[in-house]
Amino acid sequence: MTEHMADFEPVLLHPSRQVGADLEAWLAAGGGQGLQAALAQPDAVIGTLQAAGLRGMGGAGFPTWQKWAGMAEVEAPDGVRHIVCNGNEDEPGTFKDRHLLLHTPHQIIEGMLIAAVALRASHVTLYANPHQAEALEALRLAVAQWRTSPLLGRVAECLGRTPELNVTPSSGRYIGGEDTAVISWLEGGFPFPRRKPPFPTQQGVGGAPTLVNNVETFANVPHILSRGAEWYRSLGQGEAAGTKLYSLSGDVLNPGLYELPMGTSLQDLVFVHGGGMLQGRAFKAVFTGGPSNTLLTAADLDVALDFDSVRARKSRLGTGAMIVISEGTSVVRKVSEYIDFFAAGSCGQCPSCKCGTFQLSRLLHRFDSSHGSADDLRALRNLCGILPGSGRCGLIDGAVTVVESSLHTFPEEYGAVRQPLPDI
Protein backbone atom coordinates (compact mmCIF):
# COMPACT_ATOMS: atom_id res chain seq x y z
CA MET A 1 0.00 0.00 0.00
CA THR A 2 1.33 3.46 -0.85
CA GLU A 3 2.21 6.16 1.67
CA HIS A 4 -0.61 8.20 0.15
CA MET A 5 -3.09 5.94 1.98
CA ALA A 6 -1.58 6.58 5.42
CA ASP A 7 -3.47 9.85 5.97
CA PHE A 8 -6.33 9.18 3.54
CA GLU A 9 -9.86 9.93 4.70
CA PRO A 10 -12.89 9.02 2.61
CA VAL A 11 -14.93 11.88 1.22
CA LEU A 12 -18.25 10.45 0.08
CA LEU A 13 -18.25 7.58 2.60
CA HIS A 14 -16.95 9.48 5.61
CA PRO A 15 -18.99 8.35 8.66
CA SER A 16 -20.04 11.92 9.45
CA ARG A 17 -21.69 12.21 6.02
CA GLN A 18 -23.59 8.94 6.06
CA VAL A 19 -26.51 10.44 7.96
CA GLY A 20 -29.35 9.25 5.76
CA ALA A 21 -32.31 11.56 5.24
CA ASP A 22 -31.37 13.94 8.06
CA LEU A 23 -30.72 17.42 6.70
CA GLU A 24 -29.83 18.90 10.10
CA ALA A 25 -27.13 16.24 10.58
CA TRP A 26 -25.83 16.85 7.06
CA LEU A 27 -25.54 20.59 7.67
CA ALA A 28 -23.93 19.99 11.08
CA ALA A 29 -21.28 17.85 9.35
CA GLY A 30 -20.37 20.74 7.04
CA GLY A 31 -23.00 20.24 4.38
CA GLY A 32 -24.33 23.35 2.66
CA GLN A 33 -20.94 25.05 2.39
CA GLY A 34 -20.48 24.02 -1.24
CA LEU A 35 -23.89 25.35 -2.17
CA GLN A 36 -23.18 28.63 -0.39
CA ALA A 37 -19.92 28.96 -2.33
CA ALA A 38 -21.82 28.38 -5.58
CA LEU A 39 -24.45 30.96 -4.63
CA ALA A 40 -21.71 33.49 -3.91
CA GLN A 41 -20.04 32.94 -7.32
CA PRO A 42 -22.31 31.03 -9.74
CA ASP A 43 -20.12 31.81 -12.73
CA ALA A 44 -17.06 30.28 -11.07
CA VAL A 45 -18.55 26.80 -10.54
CA ILE A 46 -17.68 25.29 -13.92
CA GLY A 47 -14.13 26.62 -13.80
CA THR A 48 -13.67 25.10 -10.35
CA LEU A 49 -14.81 21.70 -11.61
CA GLN A 50 -12.41 22.01 -14.54
CA ALA A 51 -9.50 22.82 -12.23
CA ALA A 52 -10.47 19.92 -9.97
CA GLY A 53 -10.46 17.40 -12.82
CA LEU A 54 -13.79 15.82 -11.86
CA ARG A 55 -14.95 13.24 -14.40
CA GLY A 56 -18.27 11.49 -14.88
CA MET A 57 -18.49 8.46 -12.57
CA GLY A 58 -21.28 6.67 -14.43
CA GLY A 59 -18.87 4.86 -16.71
CA ALA A 60 -17.56 7.08 -19.51
CA GLY A 61 -15.25 9.28 -17.42
CA PHE A 62 -16.10 12.33 -19.53
CA PRO A 63 -14.86 15.61 -17.97
CA THR A 64 -17.77 16.93 -15.92
CA TRP A 65 -17.00 20.58 -16.60
CA GLN A 66 -17.21 20.04 -20.37
CA LYS A 67 -20.72 18.62 -20.14
CA TRP A 68 -21.82 21.47 -17.85
CA ALA A 69 -20.15 24.11 -20.03
CA GLY A 70 -21.78 22.65 -23.13
CA MET A 71 -25.21 22.98 -21.59
CA ALA A 72 -24.47 26.51 -20.37
CA GLU A 73 -23.94 27.56 -23.98
CA VAL A 74 -27.33 26.25 -25.15
CA GLU A 75 -30.13 28.79 -25.22
CA ALA A 76 -33.41 27.89 -23.52
CA PRO A 77 -36.01 30.16 -25.16
CA ASP A 78 -38.63 29.55 -22.46
CA GLY A 79 -36.05 29.51 -19.66
CA VAL A 80 -36.64 25.85 -18.81
CA ARG A 81 -33.59 23.73 -17.97
CA HIS A 82 -33.40 20.36 -16.22
CA ILE A 83 -30.92 18.71 -13.86
CA VAL A 84 -31.29 14.92 -13.61
CA CYS A 85 -29.42 12.55 -11.31
CA ASN A 86 -29.22 9.10 -12.90
CA GLY A 87 -29.57 6.50 -10.16
CA ASN A 88 -30.92 3.64 -12.28
CA GLU A 89 -27.87 1.43 -11.47
CA ASP A 90 -28.81 -2.08 -12.58
CA GLU A 91 -25.65 -3.71 -13.94
CA PRO A 92 -24.21 -6.84 -12.27
CA GLY A 93 -21.40 -6.07 -9.86
CA THR A 94 -22.22 -2.37 -9.43
CA PHE A 95 -23.71 -1.22 -6.12
CA LYS A 96 -22.14 2.14 -5.28
CA ASP A 97 -25.02 4.44 -6.25
CA ARG A 98 -27.65 2.66 -4.18
CA HIS A 99 -25.44 3.05 -1.11
CA LEU A 100 -25.04 6.78 -1.69
CA LEU A 101 -28.77 7.29 -2.35
CA LEU A 102 -29.70 5.52 0.87
CA HIS A 103 -26.99 6.74 3.24
CA THR A 104 -25.95 10.14 1.84
CA PRO A 105 -28.89 11.61 -0.11
CA HIS A 106 -28.18 15.20 0.96
CA GLN A 107 -24.73 15.45 -0.58
CA ILE A 108 -26.28 14.28 -3.87
CA ILE A 109 -29.12 16.81 -3.69
CA GLU A 110 -26.70 19.59 -2.78
CA GLY A 111 -24.57 18.71 -5.79
CA MET A 112 -27.63 18.90 -8.02
CA LEU A 113 -28.63 22.27 -6.59
CA ILE A 114 -25.11 23.56 -7.27
CA ALA A 115 -25.60 22.45 -10.87
CA ALA A 116 -28.96 24.23 -10.92
CA VAL A 117 -27.31 27.44 -9.74
CA ALA A 118 -24.46 27.17 -12.24
CA LEU A 119 -26.72 26.33 -15.19
CA ARG A 120 -29.79 28.39 -14.25
CA ALA A 121 -31.99 25.28 -14.08
CA SER A 122 -35.22 25.19 -12.10
CA HIS A 123 -36.19 21.53 -12.57
CA VAL A 124 -34.22 19.08 -10.43
CA THR A 125 -35.06 15.37 -10.66
CA LEU A 126 -33.69 12.37 -8.81
CA TYR A 127 -34.22 9.36 -11.08
CA ALA A 128 -33.76 6.12 -9.13
CA ASN A 129 -34.27 2.39 -9.60
CA PRO A 130 -37.61 1.28 -8.10
CA HIS A 131 -36.04 -1.99 -6.97
CA GLN A 132 -34.17 0.05 -4.33
CA ALA A 133 -37.24 0.83 -2.21
CA GLU A 134 -35.31 1.98 0.87
CA ALA A 135 -33.19 4.36 -1.16
CA LEU A 136 -36.28 5.82 -2.83
CA GLU A 137 -37.90 6.43 0.54
CA ALA A 138 -34.73 8.12 1.83
CA LEU A 139 -34.71 10.37 -1.23
CA ARG A 140 -38.34 11.38 -0.75
CA LEU A 141 -37.72 12.24 2.90
CA ALA A 142 -34.57 14.19 2.03
CA VAL A 143 -36.33 16.17 -0.72
CA ALA A 144 -39.19 17.04 1.66
CA GLN A 145 -36.64 18.50 4.09
CA TRP A 146 -34.95 20.57 1.38
CA ARG A 147 -38.28 22.06 0.30
CA THR A 148 -38.58 23.82 3.66
CA SER A 149 -34.89 24.71 4.01
CA PRO A 150 -33.74 28.35 3.98
CA LEU A 151 -30.95 27.23 1.65
CA LEU A 152 -33.51 26.37 -1.02
CA GLY A 153 -34.93 29.85 -0.56
CA ARG A 154 -31.52 31.27 -1.40
CA VAL A 155 -31.37 29.11 -4.51
CA ALA A 156 -34.80 30.45 -5.49
CA GLU A 157 -33.56 34.03 -5.09
CA CYS A 158 -30.58 33.26 -7.33
CA LEU A 159 -32.72 31.63 -10.02
CA GLY A 160 -35.64 34.00 -9.77
CA ARG A 161 -37.99 31.07 -9.18
CA THR A 162 -38.31 28.21 -6.72
CA PRO A 163 -36.68 25.07 -8.12
CA GLU A 164 -38.89 22.02 -8.48
CA LEU A 165 -37.40 19.07 -6.60
CA ASN A 166 -38.78 15.67 -7.59
CA VAL A 167 -38.07 11.99 -7.07
CA THR A 168 -39.01 9.79 -10.04
CA PRO A 169 -38.71 5.98 -10.03
CA SER A 170 -37.14 4.68 -13.23
CA SER A 171 -38.58 1.84 -15.27
CA GLY A 172 -36.30 -0.58 -13.41
CA ARG A 173 -34.91 -1.82 -16.72
CA TYR A 174 -31.19 -1.97 -17.39
CA ILE A 175 -31.57 0.06 -20.57
CA GLY A 176 -33.34 2.75 -18.55
CA GLY A 177 -29.96 3.99 -17.36
CA GLU A 178 -28.86 5.17 -20.81
CA ASP A 179 -29.12 8.97 -20.76
CA THR A 180 -31.49 9.38 -23.71
CA ALA A 181 -33.64 6.55 -22.32
CA VAL A 182 -33.81 8.54 -19.08
CA ILE A 183 -35.14 11.50 -21.09
CA SER A 184 -37.75 9.34 -22.83
CA TRP A 185 -39.01 7.94 -19.51
CA LEU A 186 -39.22 11.37 -17.89
CA GLU A 187 -41.30 12.51 -20.87
CA GLY A 188 -43.79 9.71 -20.16
CA GLY A 189 -42.63 7.28 -22.84
CA PHE A 190 -40.95 3.88 -22.88
CA PRO A 191 -37.23 4.10 -22.05
CA PHE A 192 -36.07 3.73 -25.65
CA PRO A 193 -32.59 5.13 -26.30
CA ARG A 194 -32.35 7.72 -29.06
CA ARG A 195 -29.60 8.44 -31.53
CA LYS A 196 -27.19 11.25 -30.65
CA PRO A 197 -26.78 14.09 -31.49
CA PRO A 198 -28.68 15.98 -30.30
CA PHE A 199 -27.32 15.28 -26.84
CA PRO A 200 -29.50 15.78 -23.75
CA THR A 201 -27.59 18.96 -22.89
CA GLN A 202 -28.80 20.33 -26.22
CA GLN A 203 -32.27 18.82 -26.34
CA GLY A 204 -33.50 16.80 -23.40
CA VAL A 205 -36.72 16.61 -21.40
CA GLY A 206 -39.47 18.28 -23.42
CA GLY A 207 -36.83 19.62 -25.80
CA ALA A 208 -35.18 21.66 -23.03
CA PRO A 209 -31.45 21.54 -22.22
CA THR A 210 -30.98 18.71 -19.72
CA LEU A 211 -27.94 17.72 -17.65
CA VAL A 212 -27.83 14.00 -16.79
CA ASN A 213 -25.05 13.00 -14.40
CA ASN A 214 -24.39 9.96 -12.26
CA VAL A 215 -25.07 9.81 -8.50
CA GLU A 216 -21.37 9.64 -7.59
CA THR A 217 -20.56 12.59 -9.84
CA PHE A 218 -23.09 14.88 -8.15
CA ALA A 219 -22.01 13.67 -4.70
CA ASN A 220 -18.47 14.97 -5.28
CA VAL A 221 -19.54 18.46 -6.32
CA PRO A 222 -20.35 19.98 -2.87
CA HIS A 223 -16.97 18.94 -1.49
CA ILE A 224 -15.07 20.42 -4.43
CA LEU A 225 -16.92 23.72 -4.08
CA SER A 226 -16.41 23.89 -0.32
CA ARG A 227 -12.79 22.70 -0.13
CA GLY A 228 -11.36 23.70 -3.49
CA ALA A 229 -10.04 22.21 -6.70
CA GLU A 230 -6.48 21.77 -5.45
CA TRP A 231 -7.66 19.75 -2.45
CA TYR A 232 -9.69 17.42 -4.70
CA ARG A 233 -6.81 16.88 -7.13
CA SER A 234 -4.48 16.02 -4.25
CA LEU A 235 -6.65 13.06 -3.25
CA GLY A 236 -5.75 11.04 -6.35
CA GLN A 237 -2.63 9.05 -7.09
CA GLY A 238 -0.30 9.85 -9.95
CA GLU A 239 -2.05 12.00 -12.55
CA ALA A 240 -5.51 10.99 -11.35
CA ALA A 241 -7.74 13.34 -9.36
CA GLY A 242 -10.09 12.74 -6.45
CA THR A 243 -11.41 9.50 -5.04
CA LYS A 244 -13.32 6.62 -6.59
CA LEU A 245 -15.92 4.21 -5.28
CA TYR A 246 -14.95 0.65 -6.22
CA SER A 247 -17.61 -2.07 -6.03
CA LEU A 248 -15.53 -5.18 -5.32
CA SER A 249 -17.19 -8.58 -5.65
CA GLY A 250 -16.48 -12.14 -6.64
CA ASP A 251 -13.91 -14.56 -5.25
CA VAL A 252 -12.34 -12.24 -2.65
CA LEU A 253 -12.35 -12.52 1.13
CA ASN A 254 -13.77 -9.05 1.77
CA PRO A 255 -16.13 -7.99 -1.01
CA GLY A 256 -17.74 -4.61 -0.53
CA LEU A 257 -17.79 -0.93 -1.40
CA TYR A 258 -14.46 0.88 -1.05
CA GLU A 259 -13.71 4.58 -1.46
CA LEU A 260 -10.03 4.92 -2.31
CA PRO A 261 -7.78 7.42 -4.08
CA MET A 262 -8.42 7.41 -7.81
CA GLY A 263 -5.49 5.50 -9.25
CA THR A 264 -5.24 2.88 -6.49
CA SER A 265 -3.71 -0.24 -8.02
CA LEU A 266 -5.73 -3.35 -8.79
CA GLN A 267 -3.24 -5.25 -6.63
CA ASP A 268 -4.01 -3.10 -3.59
CA LEU A 269 -7.77 -3.18 -4.14
CA VAL A 270 -7.91 -6.97 -4.34
CA PHE A 271 -5.12 -8.09 -2.01
CA VAL A 272 -4.97 -5.31 0.59
CA HIS A 273 -8.44 -3.80 0.89
CA GLY A 274 -10.28 -6.87 -0.39
CA GLY A 275 -8.23 -9.23 1.79
CA GLY A 276 -7.01 -11.33 -1.13
CA MET A 277 -8.58 -14.35 -2.75
CA LEU A 278 -10.81 -16.92 -1.13
CA GLN A 279 -8.83 -19.63 0.65
CA GLY A 280 -7.17 -22.01 -1.73
CA ARG A 281 -8.01 -19.90 -4.79
CA ALA A 282 -5.62 -18.15 -7.15
CA PHE A 283 -6.40 -14.94 -9.01
CA LYS A 284 -7.46 -15.58 -12.60
CA ALA A 285 -9.04 -12.40 -13.95
CA VAL A 286 -11.28 -9.44 -13.21
CA PHE A 287 -14.16 -7.96 -15.13
CA THR A 288 -13.44 -4.24 -14.88
CA GLY A 289 -16.19 -1.65 -14.69
CA GLY A 290 -18.88 -4.33 -14.69
CA PRO A 291 -19.48 -7.04 -17.31
CA SER A 292 -19.35 -4.84 -20.42
CA ASN A 293 -15.60 -4.26 -20.59
CA THR A 294 -12.49 -6.32 -21.25
CA LEU A 295 -10.94 -8.75 -18.82
CA LEU A 296 -7.71 -8.00 -16.99
CA THR A 297 -5.47 -10.83 -15.77
CA ALA A 298 -2.69 -11.33 -13.22
CA ALA A 299 -0.34 -9.55 -15.62
CA ASP A 300 -2.41 -6.41 -15.06
CA LEU A 301 -2.48 -6.37 -11.26
CA ASP A 302 -0.12 -3.40 -11.30
CA VAL A 303 -2.56 -1.22 -13.27
CA ALA A 304 -3.68 2.04 -11.66
CA LEU A 305 -7.47 2.05 -11.43
CA ASP A 306 -8.16 5.37 -13.10
CA PHE A 307 -9.86 6.10 -16.41
CA ASP A 308 -6.75 6.68 -18.49
CA SER A 309 -4.53 3.94 -17.06
CA VAL A 310 -7.18 1.24 -17.43
CA ARG A 311 -7.93 2.39 -20.96
CA ALA A 312 -4.23 2.06 -21.77
CA ARG A 313 -4.65 -1.67 -20.99
CA LYS A 314 -7.45 -1.80 -23.60
CA SER A 315 -10.17 -1.86 -20.96
CA ARG A 316 -12.29 0.72 -19.16
CA LEU A 317 -12.73 1.69 -15.52
CA GLY A 318 -16.47 2.11 -16.11
CA THR A 319 -18.45 2.46 -12.91
CA GLY A 320 -15.57 1.13 -10.82
CA ALA A 321 -17.09 -2.33 -10.43
CA MET A 322 -14.47 -5.08 -10.12
CA ILE A 323 -15.77 -8.65 -10.41
CA VAL A 324 -12.91 -11.01 -9.48
CA ILE A 325 -12.80 -14.63 -10.61
CA SER A 326 -10.39 -17.35 -9.52
CA GLU A 327 -8.60 -20.19 -11.26
CA GLY A 328 -11.04 -23.02 -11.82
CA THR A 329 -13.86 -20.64 -12.73
CA SER A 330 -15.06 -20.91 -16.30
CA VAL A 331 -14.68 -17.61 -18.11
CA VAL A 332 -17.05 -18.84 -20.81
CA ARG A 333 -19.74 -19.52 -18.22
CA LYS A 334 -19.36 -16.08 -16.60
CA VAL A 335 -19.45 -14.35 -19.99
CA SER A 336 -22.46 -16.44 -20.96
CA GLU A 337 -24.29 -15.27 -17.82
CA TYR A 338 -23.53 -11.65 -18.61
CA ILE A 339 -24.64 -11.96 -22.23
CA ASP A 340 -27.90 -13.49 -20.98
CA PHE A 341 -28.30 -10.36 -18.87
CA PHE A 342 -27.72 -8.10 -21.86
CA ALA A 343 -30.09 -10.12 -24.03
CA ALA A 344 -32.82 -9.80 -21.40
CA GLY A 345 -32.05 -6.10 -20.98
CA SER A 346 -32.23 -5.17 -24.66
CA CYS A 347 -35.18 -2.89 -25.33
CA GLY A 348 -35.77 -4.63 -28.67
CA GLN A 349 -35.73 -1.37 -30.62
CA CYS A 350 -32.73 -2.36 -32.73
CA PRO A 351 -32.93 -5.80 -34.41
CA SER A 352 -29.14 -6.06 -34.48
CA CYS A 353 -29.05 -5.76 -30.67
CA LYS A 354 -32.03 -7.95 -29.83
CA CYS A 355 -31.10 -10.68 -32.32
CA GLY A 356 -27.36 -10.22 -31.88
CA THR A 357 -27.36 -10.69 -28.10
CA PHE A 358 -29.63 -13.73 -28.52
CA GLN A 359 -27.24 -15.31 -31.02
CA LEU A 360 -24.21 -14.53 -28.85
CA SER A 361 -25.99 -16.16 -25.92
CA ARG A 362 -26.92 -19.25 -27.96
CA LEU A 363 -23.33 -19.76 -29.13
CA LEU A 364 -21.82 -19.18 -25.71
CA HIS A 365 -24.12 -21.75 -24.14
CA ARG A 366 -22.89 -24.25 -26.71
CA PHE A 367 -19.28 -23.64 -25.67
CA ASP A 368 -20.20 -23.72 -21.99
CA SER A 369 -21.74 -27.18 -22.44
CA SER A 370 -18.67 -28.34 -24.44
CA HIS A 371 -20.65 -28.58 -27.66
CA GLY A 372 -19.07 -25.61 -29.45
CA SER A 373 -17.67 -26.38 -32.89
CA ALA A 374 -15.20 -24.65 -35.20
CA ASP A 375 -18.18 -23.29 -37.13
CA ASP A 376 -19.62 -21.89 -33.87
CA LEU A 377 -16.31 -20.20 -33.15
CA ARG A 378 -16.27 -18.62 -36.59
CA ALA A 379 -19.87 -17.48 -36.12
CA LEU A 380 -19.00 -15.95 -32.74
CA ARG A 381 -16.07 -14.04 -34.20
CA ASN A 382 -18.14 -12.90 -37.18
CA LEU A 383 -20.80 -11.49 -34.84
CA CYS A 384 -18.11 -9.65 -32.91
CA GLY A 385 -17.00 -8.10 -36.18
CA ILE A 386 -20.37 -6.95 -37.53
CA LEU A 387 -22.43 -6.01 -34.46
CA PRO A 388 -20.51 -3.07 -32.90
CA GLY A 389 -22.00 0.33 -33.72
CA SER A 390 -25.25 -1.13 -35.00
CA GLY A 391 -27.46 -0.06 -32.09
CA ARG A 392 -28.82 3.24 -30.86
CA CYS A 393 -27.00 2.84 -27.55
CA GLY A 394 -23.93 1.04 -26.29
CA LEU A 395 -25.59 -2.18 -25.08
CA ILE A 396 -24.59 -4.32 -28.06
CA ASP A 397 -21.11 -2.79 -28.09
CA GLY A 398 -20.60 -3.69 -24.43
CA ALA A 399 -21.84 -7.23 -25.01
CA VAL A 400 -19.44 -7.71 -27.92
CA THR A 401 -16.54 -6.21 -25.96
CA VAL A 402 -16.68 -8.78 -23.16
CA VAL A 403 -17.12 -11.69 -25.59
CA GLU A 404 -14.24 -10.50 -27.75
CA SER A 405 -12.05 -9.99 -24.70
CA SER A 406 -12.72 -13.51 -23.43
CA LEU A 407 -11.92 -14.92 -26.88
CA HIS A 408 -8.62 -13.07 -26.85
CA THR A 409 -7.61 -13.58 -23.23
CA PHE A 410 -8.74 -17.18 -22.68
CA PRO A 411 -8.90 -18.70 -26.19
CA GLU A 412 -8.20 -22.17 -24.85
CA GLU A 413 -11.62 -22.19 -23.22
CA TYR A 414 -13.08 -21.96 -26.72
CA GLY A 415 -10.63 -24.46 -28.18
CA ALA A 416 -8.98 -21.62 -30.09
CA VAL A 417 -5.65 -19.84 -30.36
CA ARG A 418 -4.96 -16.31 -29.23
CA GLN A 419 -5.76 -13.46 -31.63
CA PRO A 420 -5.04 -9.71 -31.34
CA LEU A 421 -7.54 -7.70 -29.28
CA PRO A 422 -8.72 -4.56 -31.11
CA ASP A 423 -8.56 -1.14 -29.48
CA ILE A 424 -11.70 0.06 -27.70
Side-chain angles (χ1 to χ4, degrees):
M1 194 185 309
T2 65
E3 294 181 5
H4 189 85
M5 287 297 301
D7 56 354
F8 174 77
E9 280 195 353
V11 178
L12 307 184
L13 299 185
H14 194 281
S16 68
R17 289 162 193 145
Q18 298 193 68
V19 296
D22 187 337
L23 183 55
E24 287 188 9
W26 166 246
L27 296 176
Q33 294 178 13
L35 179 55
Q36 292 182 52
L39 288 165
Q41 291 185 293
D43 293 339
V45 171
I46 293 175
T48 300
L49 297 183
Q50 179 179 6
L54 178 65
R55 296 171 72 164
M57 303 295 186
F62 188 76
T64 302
W65 76 270
Q66 285 190 27
K67 182 183 279 192
W68 289 32
M71 178 165 156
E73 294 173 356
V74 178
E75 291 188 11
D78 56 1
V80 175
R81 294 170 178 267
H82 292 262
I83 306 296
V84 179
C85 177
N86 187 353
N88 188 67
E89 189 177 65
D90 192 48
E91 193 170 56
T94 303
F95 43 85
K96 65 185 180 67
D97 291 347
R98 68 194 68 180
H99 183 96
L100 292 176
L101 292 171
L102 176 60
H103 297 286
T104 68
H106 291 296
Q107 67 179 346
I108 300 162
I109 296 171
E110 184 173 338
M112 297 175 73
L113 290 174
I114 290 170
V117 168
L119 300 176
R120 309 295 296 173
S122 58
H123 294 72
V124 179
T125 303
L126 287 138
Y127 172 90
N129 197 311
H131 300 144
Q132 305 302 323
E134 287 184 297
L136 270 172
E137 182 59 24
L139 289 174
R140 291 187 177 109
L141 290 172
V143 164
Q145 293 168 5
W146 274 96
R147 284 174 178 154
T148 59
S149 167
L151 270 175
L152 191 65
R154 291 190 58 193
V155 174
E157 290 177 7
C158 177
L159 298 178
R161 59 191 296 185
T162 301
E164 295 182 14
L165 293 178
N166 295 294
V167 177
T168 300
S170 74
S171 64
R173 297 171 179 267
Y174 169 66
I175 199 64
E178 198 274 340
D179 55 0
T180 62
V182 173
I183 303 301
S184 182
W185 183 256
L186 292 177
E187 291 176 335
F190 189 84
F192 280 133
R194 306 170 184 174
R195 290 199 181 277
K196 296 178 283 190
F199 296 95
T201 51
Q202 300 167 317
Q203 188 175 320
V205 179
T210 303
L211 176 73
V212 182
N213 270 144
N214 177 256
V215 170
E216 186 183 355
T217 308
F218 278 123
N220 275 290
V221 172
H223 306 291
I224 294 172
L225 268 291
S226 64
R227 303 187 67 175
E230 186 176 343
W231 162 82
Y232 182 78
R233 276 200 172 274
S234 72
L235 297 175
Q237 294 188 356
E239 297 299 315
T243 70
K244 184 74 188 81
L245 296 182
Y246 300 101
S247 303
L248 180 65
S249 64
D251 299 337
V252 292
L253 281 171
N254 301 316
L257 182 63
Y258 295 91
E259 182 181 9
L260 301 169
M262 181 76 85
T264 295
S265 71
L266 178 59
Q267 172 82 32
D268 279 358
L269 177 63
V270 174
F271 290 95
V272 177
H273 305 287
M277 303 298 292
L278 294 175
Q279 188 171 7
R281 305 285 186 91
F283 181 92
K284 181 176 184 178
V286 59
F287 292 87
T288 62
S292 58
N293 292 306
T294 62
L295 287 148
L296 296 180
T297 66
D300 300 297
L301 283 169
D302 65 321
V303 69
L305 295 177
D306 61 67
F307 293 105
D308 298 330
S309 299
V310 176
R311 192 176 184 88
R313 302 290 176 99
K314 295 188 176 181
S315 188
R316 290 191 177 99
L317 181 63
T319 61
M322 299 289 153
I323 307 170
V324 179
I325 59 173
S326 56
E327 293 289 353
T329 300
S330 168
V331 168
V332 173
R333 176 161 298 177
K334 295 299 292 184
V335 172
S336 177
E337 291 171 358
Y338 295 145
I339 296 304
D340 287 348
F341 170 81
F342 290 130
S346 174
C347 70
Q349 183 180 203
C350 303
S352 59
C353 177
K354 188 64 177 177
C355 298
T357 52
F358 172 80
Q359 292 300 332
L360 288 172
S361 173
R362 182 182 67 83
L363 291 166
L364 286 164
H365 279 289
R366 289 184 63 82
F367 283 103
D368 183 38
S369 60
S370 300
H371 291 102
S373 66
D375 286 341
D376 291 328
L377 183 59
R378 280 192 291 272
L380 199 59
R381 284 177 168 156
N382 284 339
L383 285 171
C384 289
I386 65 176
L387 289 175
S390 62
R392 292 193 175 187
C393 71
L395 189 150
I396 187 62
D397 293 10
V400 167
T401 295
V402 71
V403 173
E404 206 164 42
S405 175
S406 66
L407 281 166
H408 166 77
T409 311
F410 296 97
E412 66 279 3
E413 297 199 17
Y414 293 91
V417 296
R418 186 180 298 270
Q419 292 190 351
L421 183 67
D423 292 332
I424 62 170

